[in-house]
Short mmCIF file of all heavy atoms in Angstrom, two decimals:
data_model
loop_
_atom_site.label_atom_id
_atom_site.label_comp_id
_atom_site.label_asym_id
_atom_site.label_seq_id
_atom_site.Cartn_x
_atom_site.Cartn_y
_atom_site.Cartn_z
N MET A 1 93.81 122.76 116.16
CA MET A 1 93.74 123.60 114.98
C MET A 1 92.29 123.37 114.31
O MET A 1 91.91 122.23 114.09
CB MET A 1 94.82 123.22 113.95
CG MET A 1 94.55 123.88 112.54
SD MET A 1 95.86 123.41 111.37
CE MET A 1 95.64 124.64 110.27
N ASP A 2 91.61 124.46 113.96
CA ASP A 2 90.31 124.31 113.31
C ASP A 2 90.61 124.20 111.90
O ASP A 2 91.35 124.91 111.30
CB ASP A 2 89.47 125.63 113.58
CG ASP A 2 88.87 125.69 114.95
OD1 ASP A 2 88.74 124.66 115.62
OD2 ASP A 2 88.49 126.84 115.36
N ILE A 3 89.92 123.25 111.32
CA ILE A 3 89.94 122.94 109.88
C ILE A 3 88.74 123.45 109.19
O ILE A 3 87.60 123.05 109.48
CB ILE A 3 90.13 121.38 109.56
CG1 ILE A 3 91.23 120.80 110.31
CG2 ILE A 3 90.10 121.15 108.20
CD1 ILE A 3 92.70 121.19 109.92
N GLN A 4 88.93 124.55 108.48
CA GLN A 4 87.86 125.22 107.86
C GLN A 4 87.63 124.80 106.32
O GLN A 4 86.67 125.04 105.72
CB GLN A 4 88.01 126.73 107.85
CG GLN A 4 88.08 127.27 109.35
CD GLN A 4 86.67 127.04 110.05
OE1 GLN A 4 85.65 127.17 109.50
NE2 GLN A 4 86.93 126.66 111.38
N ASN A 5 88.76 124.36 105.69
CA ASN A 5 88.66 123.97 104.29
C ASN A 5 89.75 122.97 104.01
O ASN A 5 90.57 122.62 104.82
CB ASN A 5 88.75 125.22 103.46
CG ASN A 5 90.01 125.98 103.74
OD1 ASN A 5 91.13 125.46 103.83
ND2 ASN A 5 89.87 127.30 104.02
N ALA A 6 89.81 122.50 102.73
CA ALA A 6 90.68 121.52 102.30
C ALA A 6 92.21 121.98 102.44
O ALA A 6 93.05 121.22 102.77
CB ALA A 6 90.39 121.06 100.81
N GLY A 7 92.46 123.24 102.21
CA GLY A 7 93.73 123.89 102.28
C GLY A 7 94.34 123.79 103.71
O GLY A 7 95.45 123.53 103.92
N ASP A 8 93.39 123.98 104.70
CA ASP A 8 93.90 123.90 106.14
C ASP A 8 94.23 122.49 106.44
O ASP A 8 95.30 122.32 107.09
CB ASP A 8 92.68 124.30 107.04
CG ASP A 8 92.30 125.75 106.99
OD1 ASP A 8 93.08 126.57 106.34
OD2 ASP A 8 91.16 126.13 107.46
N LEU A 9 93.50 121.52 106.05
CA LEU A 9 93.83 120.15 106.28
C LEU A 9 95.09 119.74 105.60
O LEU A 9 95.99 119.09 106.16
CB LEU A 9 92.70 119.12 105.81
CG LEU A 9 92.91 117.66 106.15
CD1 LEU A 9 93.18 117.44 107.59
CD2 LEU A 9 91.75 116.90 105.68
N GLY A 10 95.32 120.22 104.29
CA GLY A 10 96.45 119.92 103.57
C GLY A 10 97.73 120.51 104.26
O GLY A 10 98.78 119.79 104.34
N SER A 11 97.60 121.75 104.83
CA SER A 11 98.73 122.38 105.45
C SER A 11 99.13 121.62 106.74
O SER A 11 100.36 121.47 107.07
CB SER A 11 98.36 123.79 105.74
OG SER A 11 98.23 124.55 104.56
N LEU A 12 98.13 121.19 107.44
CA LEU A 12 98.37 120.39 108.73
C LEU A 12 99.15 119.12 108.31
O LEU A 12 100.05 118.67 108.94
CB LEU A 12 97.07 120.04 109.38
CG LEU A 12 97.22 119.19 110.62
CD1 LEU A 12 98.01 119.83 111.72
CD2 LEU A 12 95.80 118.92 111.18
N ILE A 13 98.72 118.37 107.25
CA ILE A 13 99.27 117.13 106.87
C ILE A 13 100.71 117.34 106.42
O ILE A 13 101.66 116.65 106.82
CB ILE A 13 98.42 116.43 105.76
CG1 ILE A 13 97.12 115.94 106.37
CG2 ILE A 13 99.21 115.32 105.10
CD1 ILE A 13 96.08 115.46 105.45
N ARG A 14 100.99 118.37 105.63
CA ARG A 14 102.31 118.75 105.20
C ARG A 14 103.23 119.00 106.38
O ARG A 14 104.37 118.55 106.44
CB ARG A 14 102.35 119.92 104.16
CG ARG A 14 103.71 120.25 103.71
CD ARG A 14 103.79 121.47 102.80
NE ARG A 14 103.24 121.06 101.55
CZ ARG A 14 102.21 121.59 100.92
NH1 ARG A 14 101.49 122.40 101.51
NH2 ARG A 14 101.85 121.16 99.74
N LYS A 15 102.66 119.75 107.24
CA LYS A 15 103.58 120.16 108.47
C LYS A 15 103.95 118.88 109.24
O LYS A 15 105.04 118.87 109.72
CB LYS A 15 102.66 121.13 109.34
CG LYS A 15 103.42 121.62 110.45
CD LYS A 15 102.60 122.62 111.40
CE LYS A 15 103.37 123.01 112.62
NZ LYS A 15 102.53 123.32 113.76
N LYS A 16 102.96 118.09 109.49
CA LYS A 16 103.18 116.84 110.30
C LYS A 16 104.22 115.97 109.57
O LYS A 16 105.21 115.40 110.07
CB LYS A 16 101.93 116.10 110.57
CG LYS A 16 102.11 114.90 111.30
CD LYS A 16 102.62 115.10 112.77
CE LYS A 16 102.41 113.82 113.63
NZ LYS A 16 103.44 112.86 113.58
N ARG A 17 104.02 115.81 108.28
CA ARG A 17 104.96 114.99 107.43
C ARG A 17 106.33 115.57 107.62
O ARG A 17 107.36 114.81 107.79
CB ARG A 17 104.52 114.97 106.09
CG ARG A 17 105.52 114.23 105.06
CD ARG A 17 105.13 114.18 103.65
NE ARG A 17 104.96 115.48 103.03
CZ ARG A 17 106.05 116.26 102.52
NH1 ARG A 17 107.19 115.82 102.69
NH2 ARG A 17 105.73 117.41 101.89
N LYS A 18 106.56 116.85 107.49
CA LYS A 18 107.86 117.43 107.48
C LYS A 18 108.44 117.27 108.92
O LYS A 18 109.61 117.15 109.02
CB LYS A 18 107.78 118.89 107.03
CG LYS A 18 107.57 118.94 105.50
CD LYS A 18 107.72 120.35 104.88
CE LYS A 18 107.58 120.29 103.43
NZ LYS A 18 107.87 121.73 102.92
N GLU A 19 107.62 117.54 109.91
CA GLU A 19 108.11 117.41 111.33
C GLU A 19 108.65 115.91 111.54
O GLU A 19 109.56 115.83 112.36
CB GLU A 19 106.94 117.69 112.31
CG GLU A 19 106.59 119.13 112.38
CD GLU A 19 105.44 119.32 113.30
OE1 GLU A 19 104.75 118.44 113.78
OE2 GLU A 19 105.10 120.60 113.49
N ASP A 20 108.03 114.95 110.92
CA ASP A 20 108.42 113.61 111.05
C ASP A 20 109.60 113.23 110.15
O ASP A 20 110.09 112.14 110.26
CB ASP A 20 107.30 112.64 110.68
CG ASP A 20 106.12 112.73 111.73
OD1 ASP A 20 106.44 113.24 112.82
OD2 ASP A 20 105.04 112.15 111.44
N GLY A 21 110.08 114.27 109.36
CA GLY A 21 111.21 114.02 108.55
C GLY A 21 111.02 113.08 107.39
O GLY A 21 111.92 112.44 106.81
N LEU A 22 109.75 113.09 106.79
CA LEU A 22 109.38 112.20 105.79
C LEU A 22 109.36 113.04 104.29
O LEU A 22 108.79 114.11 104.41
CB LEU A 22 108.09 111.57 106.01
CG LEU A 22 107.95 110.62 107.16
CD1 LEU A 22 106.56 110.19 107.42
CD2 LEU A 22 108.86 109.47 106.89
N THR A 23 109.93 112.47 103.40
CA THR A 23 109.66 113.09 102.11
C THR A 23 108.19 112.74 101.65
O THR A 23 107.60 111.77 102.21
CB THR A 23 110.63 112.47 100.99
OG1 THR A 23 110.32 111.06 100.80
CG2 THR A 23 112.12 112.62 101.42
N LEU A 24 107.79 113.37 100.66
CA LEU A 24 106.45 113.16 99.96
C LEU A 24 106.36 111.67 99.62
O LEU A 24 105.42 110.95 99.87
CB LEU A 24 106.13 114.01 98.84
CG LEU A 24 104.78 113.94 98.20
CD1 LEU A 24 103.73 114.52 99.31
CD2 LEU A 24 104.71 114.83 97.08
N HIS A 25 107.37 111.21 98.89
CA HIS A 25 107.43 109.80 98.41
C HIS A 25 107.40 108.79 99.60
O HIS A 25 106.66 107.76 99.50
CB HIS A 25 108.48 109.58 97.48
CG HIS A 25 108.37 110.21 96.06
ND1 HIS A 25 108.64 111.50 95.87
CD2 HIS A 25 107.82 109.71 94.97
CE1 HIS A 25 108.42 111.87 94.55
NE2 HIS A 25 107.87 110.73 94.08
N ASP A 26 108.19 109.06 100.60
CA ASP A 26 108.27 108.18 101.69
C ASP A 26 106.98 108.10 102.41
O ASP A 26 106.44 107.01 102.73
CB ASP A 26 109.35 108.53 102.66
CG ASP A 26 110.74 108.29 102.12
OD1 ASP A 26 110.90 107.57 101.14
OD2 ASP A 26 111.67 108.95 102.72
N ALA A 27 106.38 109.22 102.71
CA ALA A 27 105.08 109.30 103.41
C ALA A 27 103.97 108.53 102.62
O ALA A 27 103.15 107.83 103.19
CB ALA A 27 104.64 110.76 103.71
N ALA A 28 103.98 108.82 101.32
CA ALA A 28 102.92 108.14 100.59
C ALA A 28 103.08 106.65 100.57
O ALA A 28 102.05 105.99 100.66
CB ALA A 28 102.99 108.59 99.01
N ALA A 29 104.29 106.19 100.44
CA ALA A 29 104.57 104.69 100.49
C ALA A 29 104.18 104.14 101.87
O ALA A 29 103.44 103.08 101.89
CB ALA A 29 105.97 104.38 100.24
N ILE A 30 104.49 104.77 102.89
CA ILE A 30 104.05 104.31 104.31
C ILE A 30 102.63 104.28 104.49
O ILE A 30 102.08 103.35 105.05
CB ILE A 30 104.80 105.18 105.31
CG1 ILE A 30 106.31 105.00 105.43
CG2 ILE A 30 104.22 104.97 106.74
CD1 ILE A 30 107.04 105.91 106.17
N CYS A 31 101.93 105.33 103.99
CA CYS A 31 100.58 105.46 104.11
C CYS A 31 99.71 104.66 103.13
O CYS A 31 98.51 104.55 103.20
CB CYS A 31 100.06 106.87 104.07
SG CYS A 31 100.78 107.82 105.43
N GLY A 32 100.37 104.01 102.06
CA GLY A 32 99.61 103.30 101.13
C GLY A 32 98.84 104.00 100.06
O GLY A 32 97.85 103.54 99.61
N VAL A 33 99.29 105.21 99.74
CA VAL A 33 98.75 106.12 98.72
C VAL A 33 99.74 106.55 97.81
O VAL A 33 100.91 106.35 98.05
CB VAL A 33 97.97 107.34 99.37
CG1 VAL A 33 96.83 106.89 100.25
CG2 VAL A 33 99.01 108.23 100.08
N SER A 34 99.33 107.11 96.57
CA SER A 34 100.35 107.44 95.64
C SER A 34 100.87 108.89 96.12
O SER A 34 100.18 109.61 96.76
CB SER A 34 99.77 107.55 94.22
OG SER A 34 98.89 108.69 94.17
N HIS A 35 102.09 109.14 95.68
CA HIS A 35 102.61 110.50 95.93
C HIS A 35 101.86 111.60 95.26
O HIS A 35 101.77 112.70 95.71
CB HIS A 35 104.14 110.52 95.58
CG HIS A 35 104.41 110.59 94.01
ND1 HIS A 35 104.45 109.41 93.34
CD2 HIS A 35 104.64 111.63 93.26
CE1 HIS A 35 104.73 109.79 92.09
NE2 HIS A 35 104.84 111.04 92.00
N VAL A 36 101.24 111.27 94.14
CA VAL A 36 100.31 112.22 93.42
C VAL A 36 99.06 112.48 94.29
O VAL A 36 98.73 113.74 94.46
CB VAL A 36 99.93 111.74 92.02
CG1 VAL A 36 98.87 112.58 91.49
CG2 VAL A 36 101.11 111.50 91.18
N PHE A 37 98.49 111.46 94.85
CA PHE A 37 97.39 111.76 95.77
C PHE A 37 97.79 112.57 97.02
O PHE A 37 97.10 113.57 97.32
CB PHE A 37 96.71 110.46 96.22
CG PHE A 37 95.77 110.62 97.34
CD1 PHE A 37 94.48 110.97 96.92
CD2 PHE A 37 96.11 110.63 98.71
CE1 PHE A 37 93.50 111.13 98.03
CE2 PHE A 37 95.19 110.77 99.70
CZ PHE A 37 93.84 111.00 99.38
N LEU A 38 98.90 112.17 97.63
CA LEU A 38 99.42 112.91 98.87
C LEU A 38 99.73 114.37 98.52
O LEU A 38 99.35 115.38 99.29
CB LEU A 38 100.55 112.24 99.48
CG LEU A 38 100.94 112.83 100.92
CD1 LEU A 38 99.88 112.85 101.87
CD2 LEU A 38 102.17 111.92 101.37
N SER A 39 100.30 114.58 97.41
CA SER A 39 100.69 115.99 96.87
C SER A 39 99.37 116.79 96.72
O SER A 39 99.27 117.97 97.21
CB SER A 39 101.45 115.94 95.63
OG SER A 39 101.61 117.36 95.18
N ALA A 40 98.41 116.17 96.09
CA ALA A 40 97.08 116.93 95.90
C ALA A 40 96.52 117.20 97.24
O ALA A 40 95.88 118.33 97.44
CB ALA A 40 96.17 116.06 95.03
N LEU A 41 96.48 116.28 98.13
CA LEU A 41 95.88 116.43 99.43
C LEU A 41 96.63 117.63 100.26
O LEU A 41 95.94 118.52 100.73
CB LEU A 41 95.98 115.15 100.25
CG LEU A 41 95.53 115.12 101.72
CD1 LEU A 41 94.10 115.58 101.74
CD2 LEU A 41 95.81 113.76 102.32
N GLU A 42 97.91 117.59 100.17
CA GLU A 42 98.67 118.73 100.85
C GLU A 42 98.40 120.01 100.22
O GLU A 42 98.59 121.01 100.89
CB GLU A 42 100.22 118.36 100.81
CG GLU A 42 100.57 117.18 101.83
CD GLU A 42 102.04 117.02 101.89
OE1 GLU A 42 102.86 117.72 101.21
OE2 GLU A 42 102.43 116.18 102.65
N ASN A 43 98.08 120.05 99.02
CA ASN A 43 97.82 121.25 98.29
C ASN A 43 96.38 121.77 98.33
O ASN A 43 96.00 122.76 97.65
CB ASN A 43 98.30 121.22 96.82
CG ASN A 43 99.81 121.27 96.78
OD1 ASN A 43 100.45 122.26 97.21
ND2 ASN A 43 100.46 120.24 96.10
N GLY A 44 95.62 121.07 99.08
CA GLY A 44 94.22 121.40 99.37
C GLY A 44 93.17 121.17 98.21
O GLY A 44 92.13 121.80 98.13
N LYS A 45 93.60 120.14 97.35
CA LYS A 45 92.67 119.78 96.30
C LYS A 45 91.39 119.20 96.96
O LYS A 45 91.42 118.38 97.79
CB LYS A 45 93.25 118.72 95.38
CG LYS A 45 92.44 118.35 94.22
CD LYS A 45 93.16 117.49 93.32
CE LYS A 45 92.19 117.11 92.15
NZ LYS A 45 92.79 116.12 91.16
N GLU A 46 90.22 119.75 96.43
CA GLU A 46 88.96 119.39 97.14
C GLU A 46 88.35 118.10 96.59
O GLU A 46 87.30 117.72 97.18
CB GLU A 46 88.02 120.55 96.97
CG GLU A 46 88.46 121.79 97.70
CD GLU A 46 87.55 122.94 97.59
OE1 GLU A 46 86.43 122.80 97.08
OE2 GLU A 46 87.94 124.00 98.07
N THR A 47 88.88 117.43 95.66
CA THR A 47 88.28 116.25 95.01
C THR A 47 88.91 114.98 95.53
O THR A 47 88.68 113.88 94.97
CB THR A 47 88.42 116.38 93.51
OG1 THR A 47 89.71 116.39 93.09
CG2 THR A 47 87.67 117.53 93.00
N VAL A 48 89.70 114.98 96.62
CA VAL A 48 90.33 113.79 97.08
C VAL A 48 89.28 112.94 97.76
O VAL A 48 88.19 113.30 98.19
CB VAL A 48 91.47 114.25 98.13
CG1 VAL A 48 92.60 114.87 97.39
CG2 VAL A 48 90.96 115.02 99.24
N GLN A 49 89.66 111.68 97.91
CA GLN A 49 88.63 110.65 98.46
C GLN A 49 88.81 110.70 99.95
O GLN A 49 90.00 110.44 100.57
CB GLN A 49 89.04 109.28 97.87
CG GLN A 49 88.89 109.15 96.45
CD GLN A 49 89.31 107.89 95.94
OE1 GLN A 49 89.77 106.91 96.58
NE2 GLN A 49 89.17 107.59 94.66
N LEU A 50 87.64 110.76 100.58
CA LEU A 50 87.70 110.86 102.13
C LEU A 50 88.33 109.66 102.75
O LEU A 50 89.09 109.79 103.78
CB LEU A 50 86.23 111.05 102.65
CG LEU A 50 86.12 111.21 104.18
CD1 LEU A 50 87.00 112.38 104.62
CD2 LEU A 50 84.64 111.37 104.50
N ASN A 51 88.02 108.42 102.23
CA ASN A 51 88.69 107.29 102.87
C ASN A 51 90.13 107.30 102.86
O ASN A 51 90.82 106.98 103.82
CB ASN A 51 88.12 106.05 102.25
CG ASN A 51 88.46 105.81 100.83
OD1 ASN A 51 88.55 106.88 100.00
ND2 ASN A 51 88.60 104.63 100.29
N LYS A 52 90.71 107.76 101.75
CA LYS A 52 92.20 107.96 101.69
C LYS A 52 92.65 109.13 102.63
O LYS A 52 93.78 108.98 103.15
CB LYS A 52 92.65 108.24 100.22
CG LYS A 52 92.48 106.95 99.34
CD LYS A 52 93.16 107.26 98.00
CE LYS A 52 93.08 105.99 97.14
NZ LYS A 52 93.63 106.25 95.86
N VAL A 53 91.93 110.17 102.65
CA VAL A 53 92.33 111.25 103.51
C VAL A 53 92.42 110.68 105.03
O VAL A 53 93.35 110.99 105.70
CB VAL A 53 91.31 112.46 103.52
CG1 VAL A 53 91.61 113.43 104.59
CG2 VAL A 53 91.27 113.05 102.18
N LEU A 54 91.41 109.99 105.47
CA LEU A 54 91.45 109.39 106.76
C LEU A 54 92.52 108.43 106.94
O LEU A 54 93.11 108.37 107.98
CB LEU A 54 90.08 108.80 107.11
CG LEU A 54 88.92 109.76 107.11
CD1 LEU A 54 87.58 109.06 107.36
CD2 LEU A 54 89.12 110.85 108.29
N GLN A 55 92.88 107.64 105.91
CA GLN A 55 94.00 106.72 105.91
C GLN A 55 95.25 107.41 106.17
O GLN A 55 96.09 107.03 107.02
CB GLN A 55 93.98 105.98 104.60
CG GLN A 55 95.12 104.99 104.44
CD GLN A 55 94.99 104.25 103.19
OE1 GLN A 55 93.89 104.10 102.62
NE2 GLN A 55 96.13 103.87 102.62
N VAL A 56 95.51 108.61 105.50
CA VAL A 56 96.75 109.33 105.54
C VAL A 56 96.83 109.99 106.99
O VAL A 56 97.91 109.94 107.64
CB VAL A 56 96.80 110.40 104.51
CG1 VAL A 56 97.98 111.44 104.86
CG2 VAL A 56 97.04 109.70 103.15
N THR A 57 95.73 110.54 107.45
CA THR A 57 95.80 111.24 108.74
C THR A 57 96.05 110.26 109.89
O THR A 57 96.85 110.36 110.75
CB THR A 57 94.52 112.08 109.14
OG1 THR A 57 93.38 111.13 109.02
CG2 THR A 57 94.45 113.22 108.02
N ALA A 58 95.40 108.97 109.78
CA ALA A 58 95.72 108.00 110.73
C ALA A 58 97.10 107.50 110.71
O ALA A 58 97.75 107.33 111.75
CB ALA A 58 94.72 106.89 110.63
N CYS A 59 97.68 107.25 109.48
CA CYS A 59 99.04 106.87 109.36
C CYS A 59 100.00 107.79 109.94
O CYS A 59 101.00 107.45 110.45
CB CYS A 59 99.25 106.63 107.88
SG CYS A 59 100.91 106.04 107.52
N LEU A 60 99.78 109.17 109.74
CA LEU A 60 100.75 110.10 110.19
C LEU A 60 100.55 110.44 111.64
O LEU A 60 101.22 111.26 112.19
CB LEU A 60 100.64 111.34 109.30
CG LEU A 60 101.15 111.14 107.87
CD1 LEU A 60 101.00 112.44 107.08
CD2 LEU A 60 102.58 110.66 107.78
N GLY A 61 99.56 109.91 112.25
CA GLY A 61 99.30 110.24 113.72
C GLY A 61 98.49 111.50 113.98
O GLY A 61 98.73 112.15 114.99
N ILE A 62 97.68 111.95 113.01
CA ILE A 62 96.83 113.12 113.08
C ILE A 62 95.48 112.61 113.53
O ILE A 62 94.83 111.93 112.83
CB ILE A 62 96.82 113.94 111.81
CG1 ILE A 62 98.24 114.36 111.46
CG2 ILE A 62 95.90 115.06 111.95
CD1 ILE A 62 98.28 114.97 110.04
N GLU A 63 94.97 113.12 114.72
CA GLU A 63 93.59 112.80 115.13
C GLU A 63 92.62 113.92 114.68
O GLU A 63 93.03 115.07 114.75
CB GLU A 63 93.62 112.84 116.70
CG GLU A 63 94.43 111.65 117.27
CD GLU A 63 94.27 111.58 118.71
OE1 GLU A 63 93.38 112.33 119.34
OE2 GLU A 63 95.04 110.90 119.34
N ILE A 64 91.57 113.36 114.13
CA ILE A 64 90.58 114.25 113.60
C ILE A 64 89.30 114.16 114.55
O ILE A 64 88.85 113.07 114.76
CB ILE A 64 90.25 114.10 112.20
CG1 ILE A 64 91.44 114.36 111.33
CG2 ILE A 64 88.95 114.88 111.77
CD1 ILE A 64 91.14 114.03 109.88
N HIS A 65 88.84 115.30 115.08
CA HIS A 65 87.65 115.23 115.85
C HIS A 65 86.53 116.06 115.24
O HIS A 65 86.85 117.25 114.81
CB HIS A 65 87.92 115.85 117.36
CG HIS A 65 89.02 115.02 118.01
ND1 HIS A 65 88.76 113.98 118.77
CD2 HIS A 65 90.38 115.19 117.97
CE1 HIS A 65 89.81 113.42 119.19
NE2 HIS A 65 90.85 114.22 118.77
N ALA A 66 85.37 115.63 115.23
CA ALA A 66 84.18 116.33 114.70
C ALA A 66 83.31 116.85 115.77
O ALA A 66 83.14 116.10 116.73
CB ALA A 66 83.40 115.54 113.64
N GLN A 67 82.88 118.05 115.68
CA GLN A 67 82.05 118.69 116.71
C GLN A 67 80.72 119.11 116.07
O GLN A 67 80.74 119.92 115.19
CB GLN A 67 82.72 119.88 117.36
CG GLN A 67 81.88 120.65 118.42
CD GLN A 67 81.99 120.01 119.66
OE1 GLN A 67 82.91 119.28 120.12
NE2 GLN A 67 81.00 120.17 120.57
N PRO A 68 79.65 118.46 116.52
CA PRO A 68 78.36 118.78 115.84
C PRO A 68 77.98 120.26 116.33
O PRO A 68 78.30 120.69 117.35
CB PRO A 68 77.31 117.76 116.32
CG PRO A 68 78.01 117.11 117.47
CD PRO A 68 79.51 117.36 117.41
N ARG A 69 77.29 120.95 115.40
CA ARG A 69 76.90 122.38 115.75
C ARG A 69 75.38 122.41 115.21
O ARG A 69 74.95 121.71 114.43
CB ARG A 69 77.73 123.40 115.07
CG ARG A 69 77.69 123.35 113.57
CD ARG A 69 78.38 124.55 113.06
NE ARG A 69 78.51 124.49 111.57
CZ ARG A 69 77.55 124.69 110.74
NH1 ARG A 69 76.38 125.18 111.15
NH2 ARG A 69 77.83 124.63 109.36
N GLY A 70 74.76 123.41 115.79
CA GLY A 70 73.31 123.63 115.43
C GLY A 70 73.29 124.53 114.25
O GLY A 70 74.26 125.10 113.78
N TRP A 71 72.09 124.59 113.70
CA TRP A 71 71.85 125.46 112.52
C TRP A 71 71.24 126.81 112.87
O TRP A 71 70.93 127.52 112.07
CB TRP A 71 70.87 124.75 111.52
CG TRP A 71 71.58 123.53 110.97
CD1 TRP A 71 71.47 122.25 111.31
CD2 TRP A 71 72.58 123.52 109.98
NE1 TRP A 71 72.23 121.55 110.59
CE2 TRP A 71 72.93 122.22 109.67
CE3 TRP A 71 73.17 124.55 109.22
CZ2 TRP A 71 73.89 121.90 108.80
CZ3 TRP A 71 74.04 124.26 108.17
CH2 TRP A 71 74.45 122.95 108.01
N LYS A 72 71.20 127.15 114.20
CA LYS A 72 70.64 128.32 114.59
C LYS A 72 71.52 129.53 114.04
O LYS A 72 72.75 129.48 114.16
CB LYS A 72 70.64 128.43 116.18
CG LYS A 72 69.94 129.65 116.70
CD LYS A 72 69.93 129.52 118.25
CE LYS A 72 69.24 130.81 118.84
NZ LYS A 72 69.25 130.55 120.25
N ALA A 73 70.92 130.57 113.44
CA ALA A 73 71.57 131.73 112.97
C ALA A 73 72.29 132.47 113.98
O ALA A 73 71.72 132.57 115.11
CB ALA A 73 70.67 132.57 112.15
N ARG A 74 73.44 132.93 113.68
CA ARG A 74 74.23 133.84 114.65
C ARG A 74 73.50 135.14 114.83
O ARG A 74 72.91 135.60 113.93
CB ARG A 74 75.67 133.99 114.20
CG ARG A 74 76.57 132.79 114.14
CD ARG A 74 77.86 133.17 113.72
NE ARG A 74 78.65 132.04 113.79
CZ ARG A 74 79.94 132.02 113.19
NH1 ARG A 74 80.43 133.13 112.64
NH2 ARG A 74 80.69 130.96 113.32
N ASP A 75 73.68 135.65 115.99
CA ASP A 75 73.15 137.09 116.22
C ASP A 75 74.07 138.02 115.57
O ASP A 75 75.30 138.12 115.96
CB ASP A 75 73.12 137.25 117.75
CG ASP A 75 72.46 138.59 118.08
OD1 ASP A 75 71.90 139.31 117.17
OD2 ASP A 75 72.58 138.95 119.27
N THR A 76 73.63 138.80 114.60
CA THR A 76 74.35 139.67 113.90
C THR A 76 74.37 141.12 114.37
O THR A 76 75.02 141.99 113.87
CB THR A 76 73.92 139.75 112.42
OG1 THR A 76 72.55 140.08 112.28
CG2 THR A 76 74.15 138.42 111.71
N GLN A 77 73.67 141.36 115.48
CA GLN A 77 73.66 142.72 116.12
C GLN A 77 74.93 142.93 116.91
O GLN A 77 75.43 142.01 117.55
CB GLN A 77 72.38 142.83 116.99
CG GLN A 77 71.11 142.78 116.25
CD GLN A 77 69.86 142.88 117.08
OE1 GLN A 77 70.05 143.01 118.34
NE2 GLN A 77 68.68 142.82 116.59
N ALA A 78 75.39 144.19 116.76
CA ALA A 78 76.67 144.42 117.57
C ALA A 78 76.38 145.06 118.89
O ALA A 78 75.47 145.52 119.27
CB ALA A 78 77.45 145.53 116.76
#
């Protein structure tokens, strides 16, 4: 899945948590974050802390891969 914004990542985390049969409170406790933080993350809040985001994704077994890209402008001609 391509992650384009905070909402995409939040949706992925929520989907994985639910597939694992975890409540928001249970997943937060297992991952060592507050349920308020996890809720904000799942709802796409853009001000969450990256270290905690990575902690949650690792805890839930979600792998994140980054692909570098160039800054060359796309060809806009049809």
Side-chain angles (χ1 to χ4, degrees):
M1 171 181 195
D2 284 339
I3 304 295
Q4 299 295 320
N5 54 50
D8 292 346
L9 182 57
S11 294
L12 176 64
I13 290 169
R14 177 181 287 117
K15 180 180 179 208
K16 178 68 165 86
R17 173 180 63 78
K18 288 185 175 188
E19 285 174 357
D20 291 347
L22 296 171
T23 67
L24 185 69
H25 285 86
D26 290 342
I30 291 168
C31 294
V33 298
S34 72
H35 71 278
V36 173
F37 173 82
L38 187 54
S39 176
L41 177 59
E42 287 187 357
N43 286 303
K45 184 174 181 183
E46 296 181 5
T47 60
V48 295
Q49 297 175 359
L50 181 57
N51 61 332
K52 286 186 178 182
V53 172
L54 296 175
Q55 180 179 332
V56 168
T57 57
C59 178
L60 293 178
I62 298 171
E63 294 184 11
I64 296 179
H65 301 271
Q67 179 82 23
R69 63 171 174 80
W71 290 101
K72 187 176 178 181
R74 291 184 181 169
D75 183 9
T76 57
Q77 296 178 0

